[in-house]
Structure formats: C-alpha cells, structure tokens
Amino acid sequence: MKKISLLFISLLSMSAITMAQAYEENVQYNKKKQPAIAIEYSYPSQAVENAFIQRMEKMGYKAKEEKGILNRDKGFLVFKNAYVTDISQDRMDYIVKVERKSRKESDEAVLYLIMQKDGANAIEKMEAFNVGQAKTFLNNMLPDIEAANLELQIKAQEEVVTKAEKKLKGLQEDKADLEKKLADNEKSQDDTIKDIETQRTSLEVLRDRRKRN
C-alpha cells in the first residue's frame, strides 16, 4: 500500500513538472515582436510574478516596472545588468511579463522572458545550450511559485479572519449599545411608573377636593 501511495505521489509530481515546460515564443515589447522564452503555470499570475521577483531579489536585483497609461510596455519588469549564472555567464537585462492565460482562467498564468545584451535581443544570438538553460531556469521555478502562492493564500485568509473579527467587534459594540439602551429604557420605565404614581396621587387629591366642594 505504501509503495502504491509513493508511486501515486511520484506520478502527481511528474504531472506537475510536465505541465510547466518552457518554449520559445514571440512577445510585443519596445514597439516590436521580440523572441522570448515563455512558460505556462497552473497558478495565479500574482504568485508567478512574486516568485520571479523574489528569486531575482535573492541574487541582489530589483525590478524596474514599466508604467504609464500610454506605455505599451506597461506591466513588464526589467532587471538591468543582471548576472544569472544558471542561464549565462554574461550580464544581461532580463525583461519579464506575467499575465493571466485568459479571462476565464484566473489560476493559469503565462510568463514571458526577454533577454537583452547591449540593447539588443540576446536570444537570437544565444547558443542552444544557453537557451536550454533559460528554459530549465523557468521550468525549475515551480517550488518558488508554490511557496509564493501559499503566501498569497495565507494573506487572503488573514484578511478573511481580520474582516470576520472586525464584524464580530462591531456586533459586540452594537450589543453593548443595545444593552445600554435597554438598561436606560428600563430605568426610564421605572422613573415613569413612579412619576405616574405621584401624578395619580395628585389627581386623587384634586378629585377629593372637588367632592368636598
């Protein structure tokens, strides 16, 4: 039974690996189609992007994000003059874009990786070995993406808990207000009953005086 379970887990792992295989693709950047390495992951785009950023930050590189309403390259992350030995022994600019695979598939993302050297696309002149290294680099990102996705899930759950706690606090405050209003109401009733008794006594006195007259 144990062997069957291990085999099942192994098959699942192999399935996950085969689902994320990098390939060569073109993507629009800097006003033209650029050769790039692409890969699809069965994870939300935010988890994929976070994982790539964190991996580059561990190597000491921070991303500059393309911004601006009229910027056609908006959303691309640029890691300037980065030295990624898993891919190449040369320093290059690593330009990345992560987007949802489609509107319907929110848990499916596509990552595009452009590599530039001296302002020119480096993939066109790269040796097949280095292109393969870039693909392997992206293929091996699954554990990082899983970790990043878990952090997003934890953060989302923390927000759910915080929201529920805030709601409970509000309800408790409402209850305290209602209890205070109820206590004030009961006191007001008691005071009113005493006042009614006093006024009735006064009324009876007046009626008795009328009878005497």
Side-chain angles (χ1 to χ4, degrees):
M1 184 68 181
K2 188 175 181 180
K3 289 182 179 179
I4 294 174
S5 298
L6 289 172
L7 178 61
F8 181 68
I9 293 170
S10 177
L11 288 172
L12 283 177
S13 300
M14 289 176 65
S15 176
I17 292 170
T18 55
M19 285 175 64
Q21 289 295 313
Y23 54 93
E24 293 174 52
E25 182 63 277
N26 290 321
V27 63
Q28 188 76 22
Y29 179 74
N30 196 23
K31 299 180 181 179
K32 63 180 181 180
K33 287 283 186 180
Q34 300 267 5
I37 307 297
I39 188 168
E40 298 176 11
Y41 297 106
S42 296
Y43 288 92
S45 57
Q46 191 61 61
V48 176
E49 184 174 295
N50 288 354
F52 195 94
I53 290 172
Q54 288 163 10
R55 176 173 274 209
M56 294 299 287
E57 284 181 347
K58 286 178 181 177
M59 290 185 276
Y61 304 109
K62 288 190 176 182
K64 178 184 176 183
E65 184 178 356
E66 296 278 8
K67 296 180 180 180
I69 298 174
L70 300 178
N71 188 351
R72 294 181 180 179
D73 297 331
K74 183 178 179 180
F76 278 90
L77 302 175
V78 182
F79 298 87
K80 297 286 290 184
N81 200 32
Y83 187 46
V84 184
T85 55
D86 287 342
I87 297 177
S88 173
Q89 297 301 312
D90 297 325
R91 288 187 177 275
M92 293 189 289
D93 295 340
Y94 290 83
I95 303 161
V96 176
K97 185 173 186 179
V98 182
E99 59 187 15
R100 282 174 59 164
K101 187 175 179 181
S102 69
R103 290 184 179 180
K104 294 181 180 179
E105 298 170 301
S106 60
D107 289 336
E108 299 281 336
V110 183
L111 182 151
Y112 299 97
L113 173 63
I114 299 170
M115 291 172 280
Q116 289 187 345
K117 185 173 174 58
D118 300 325
N121 193 295
I123 297 176
E124 296 173 316
K125 298 180 180 179
M126 284 176 72
E127 298 288 339
F129 173 78
N130 293 116
V131 173
Q133 288 289 90
K135 291 178 181 178
T136 301
F137 181 85
L138 297 181
N139 291 340
N140 292 342
M141 275 188 56
L142 272 175
D144 304 78
I145 295 169
E146 288 170 356
N149 189 52
L150 178 59
E151 289 303 314
L152 288 175
Q153 290 175 329
I154 290 172
K155 183 179 179 181
Q157 192 61 31
E158 286 174 343
E159 290 175 355
V160 170
V161 172
T162 300
K163 186 177 180 180
E165 289 174 341
K166 186 177 180 180
K167 181 180 179 181
L168 176 61
K169 184 179 179 181
L171 291 170
Q172 289 172 334
E173 289 174 349
D174 290 344
K175 180 185 177 184
D177 289 342
L178 289 171
E179 287 175 344
K180 186 178 183 302
K181 287 179 181 179
L182 183 59
D184 291 343
N185 182 276
E186 288 178 352
K187 185 179 183 303
S188 181
Q189 287 186 54
D190 291 339
D191 292 343
T192 303
I193 290 170
K194 290 177 182 178
D195 184 56
I196 289 171
E197 291 174 351
T198 300
Q199 299 305 326
R200 278 178 176 171
T201 300
S202 298
L203 178 60
E204 289 302 319
V205 170
L206 291 170
R207 284 175 176 172
D208 286 344
R209 286 176 59 187
R210 185 177 63 184
K211 287 177 183 178
R212 291 194 196 104
N213 294 332

